[in-house]
Amino acid sequence: DDILRKANELGMDWRELGRRETDQYLEDMRNLNALDFDHYVAATEHIPHVVENVAALLDAGVAYEVNGSVYFSVEKDPDFGKLSKLPHAEMLPIANERGNKPDDPNKQDPLDFLLWQAGIPGEPTWDSPWGPGRPGWHIECSAMSRHYLGDQFDIHGGGFDLIFPHHECEIAQAETITGKKPFVRYWMHAA
């Protein structure tokens, strides 16, 4: 959503903006003498893995499909919130600040989050069993992590602002698929 919004503001193609920002990031890392990664991954290259993960969540009964969009039901995950330790009442305002659409008429609960978003005219889409659309923000990351690192890995980093909702949602998705096997052993968040 962020890259589509920013590309629209700048009047440029979302793919070109993505390439530009990626190139800038890689240049910054070279200037810092950072080691190269083993894999440079893009969500757009992992749509089959995303679809497979969304299907697994539907099969597990924690997700539901409405009008071509698929949502994760937070009510069906009793462990939702275990990383952030936020009370449920505090989750919704934070999620809303970070891209949640609480008034989506297809949602059963305003806090439920998108796994697959039905296609919107003018936005990129890929084929899926639920129709053309695109992945939700959180499922991209957990699907790619599981593909490259397995069902459990040692360290997951990110900014403090990603604890909730992003990392919380990654945990809910991955641990549901793996039968509650801990997704990550250690979380490291920078302020």
Side-chain angles (χ1 to χ4, degrees), residues 49-61 63 70 115 129-130 139 177:
H49 299 116
V50 169
V51 168
E52 178 184 303
N53 279 252
V54 173
L57 292 165
L58 282 163
D59 290 346
V70 181
L115 298 169
W130 316 285
I139 195 71
I177 291 170

Side-chain angles (χ1 to χ4, degrees), residues 64-71 105-108 116 118:
Y64 57 95
E65 185 269 331
V66 179
N67 297 323
S69 289
V70 181
Y71 301 86
N106 294 322
K107 287 185 173 188
Q108 294 173 358
W116 186 263

Side-chain angles (χ1 to χ4, degrees), residues 174-182:
E175 292 187 3
T176 297
I177 291 170
T178 64
K180 293 301 180 184
K181 181 179 192 176

Side-chain angles (χ1 to χ4, degrees), residues 3 14-30 37 40-42:
I3 198 166
W14 64 272
R15 289 169 291 249
E16 180 57 34
L17 176 60
R19 279 190 291 276
R20 185 186 84 182
E21 294 300 312
T22 299
D23 290 346
Q24 181 62 58
Y25 173 79
L26 294 174
E27 181 181 332
D28 290 346
M29 291 296 101
R30 282 189 298 275
F37 301 115
Y40 290 90
V41 300

